[in-house]
Amino acid sequence: MRKKKESLRASILESLKSRSKSSPKQAGKPARPEGTLIASYNVHKCVGADRRFDPERTSRVIHEIDADVIGLQEADTRFGERTGLLDLRRLERETGLIPVPIAGVTKAHGWHGNVVLFKQGTVRDVHQIKLPGLEPRGALIAEIELARGGSIRIIAAHLGLLHRSRAQQTRLIVELMNDGGSIPTILLGDLNEWRLGDRSSLSTFQAAFGPLPPAVPSFPAALPLLALDRIMANRRGMISAVEVHDSPLARVASDHLPIKAVISLETLDGEAQAHSRTA
């Protein structure tokens, strides 16, 4: 227990040091980076830091991010018959984002609250995976042919609160990676892990994704201390440095800040590179 507290304290101190070097971004919309922008956002069932349920505010943050592909967590009610909380039709009209289709649900937006939205491209394959553990958790796997050229596989996941469950869930995801061929893959979502090093359940991912990228604090949104949200790729150099989307609206709309990164299409497979050169 003492080691756990010391590790948490060290993580918090490191986060505070990084936060002291920066400040919240101004209210203006940040410059849109070049390339294919991917993002992950735990929308906390559209309940903000002020404890107010406001799907419109959540949609405005998604609009701010302006991602080409974004994974959302907690986009549905959790108990009983899952029901989507966002106005996806309006979001499509305003941002061009459409949801990856899923099977077997009527009112829910996603799978165990996980939603993948994308702007331009074609969905080639979708899998809905139940993750092991005491809590009902899942992962949504979508293979998308990008309009810019090339195909990527997105694994959007929300891992459990218990360390033992996360250990089981990360092992299953790595097994799925081993069975999924060589397609460039991005794992994103709220992975609920603040630990670093060998004690982290995320260390299991190194078998499939290599060394983990630097942790980027995203929780709690008002004063980010813990890197619970992650974006990682199975190919070195495929994504740029991960950063938070830090705006005044994002700091109040959820208990997590969104995170984002840019895909480098040049690192995709040879067929995708040829496609992108002729597009």
Side-chain angles (χ1 to χ4, degrees):
M1 179 62 71
R2 182 177 179 181
K3 290 183 178 179
K4 178 178 179 180
K5 289 182 178 178
E6 290 175 350
S7 180
L8 176 58
R9 186 180 298 113
S11 297
I12 291 175
L13 289 175
E14 185 63 29
S15 297
L16 285 173
K17 289 179 183 178
S18 64
R19 294 303 305 165
S20 66
K21 298 177 183 178
S22 61
S23 58
K25 306 298 186 297
Q26 64 272 20
K29 185 176 179 179
R32 174 65 159 79
E34 294 293 330
T36 299
L37 183 67
I38 59 172
S40 177
Y41 187 21
N42 184 329
V43 301
H44 196 228
K45 304 178 191 67
C46 300
V47 176
D50 54 4
R51 299 184 181 181
R52 184 161 58 91
F53 175 70
D54 192 344
E56 168 64 20
R57 180 171 58 185
T58 303
S59 295
R60 285 163 58 198
V61 175
I62 296 172
H63 199 291
E64 281 183 355
I65 300 168
D66 195 20
D68 296 294
V69 181
I70 182 169
L72 305 179
Q73 303 88 50
E74 299 190 19
D76 300 321
T77 56
R78 184 173 184 183
F79 299 106
E81 184 180 10
R82 290 181 179 266
T83 303
L85 299 171
L86 296 167
D87 186 341
L88 293 185
R89 291 184 179 179
R90 179 178 176 183
L91 196 61
E92 179 182 356
R93 291 196 304 270
E94 295 180 351
T95 68
L97 290 167
I98 59 175
V100 166
I102 57 174
V105 299
T106 55
K107 298 181 180 180
H109 289 336
W111 174 245
H112 288 279
N114 295 292
V115 179
V116 174
L117 303 167
F118 68 103
K119 280 185 179 176
Q120 295 181 325
T122 303
V123 177
R124 291 168 45 174
D125 200 8
V126 180
H127 297 281
Q128 297 156 218
I129 306 298
K130 288 185 178 180
L131 296 178
L134 294 178
E135 307 165 85
R137 298 283 180 171
L140 183 61
I141 304 178
E143 185 177 329
I144 302 173
E145 185 175 343
L146 300 172
R148 290 174 176 265
S151 296
I152 59 171
R153 177 174 52 183
I154 301 292
I155 302 178
H158 189 183
L159 302 190
L161 296 173
L162 301 178
H163 184 270
R164 182 175 181 180
S165 294
R166 289 195 300 275
Q168 296 173 325
Q169 292 158 4
T170 54
R171 286 196 296 268
L172 176 58
I173 290 173
V174 169
E175 290 174 7
L176 294 173
M177 287 287 296
N178 293 335
D179 294 335
S182 60
I183 184 170
T185 300
I186 295 170
L187 171 66
L188 55 80
D190 177 2
L191 304 187
N192 261 321
E193 180 63 274
W194 52 264
R195 295 172 182 83
L196 302 175
D198 293 338
R199 295 188 67 247
S200 171
S201 59
L202 303 188
S203 62
T204 303
F205 284 138
Q206 294 187 50
F209 294 93
L212 299 180
V216 178
S218 57
F219 178 89
L223 182 62
L225 298 174
L226 303 178
L228 300 186
D229 305 279
R230 298 291 184 120
I231 297 176
M232 60 187 75
N234 70 336
R235 298 194 179 186
R236 181 176 298 180
M238 184 175 166
I239 60 174
S240 66
V242 179
E243 61 182 31
V244 294
H245 175 82
D246 190 356
S247 72
L249 190 62
R251 287 211 169 194
V252 70
S254 172
D255 59 345
H256 289 245
L257 286 177
I259 60 172
K260 57 189 178 182
V262 175
I263 297 175
S264 175
L265 294 178
E266 287 75 12
T267 62
L268 301 186
D269 56 28
E271 178 183 354
Q273 292 181 42
H275 188 167
S276 64
R277 286 195 296 267
T278 58

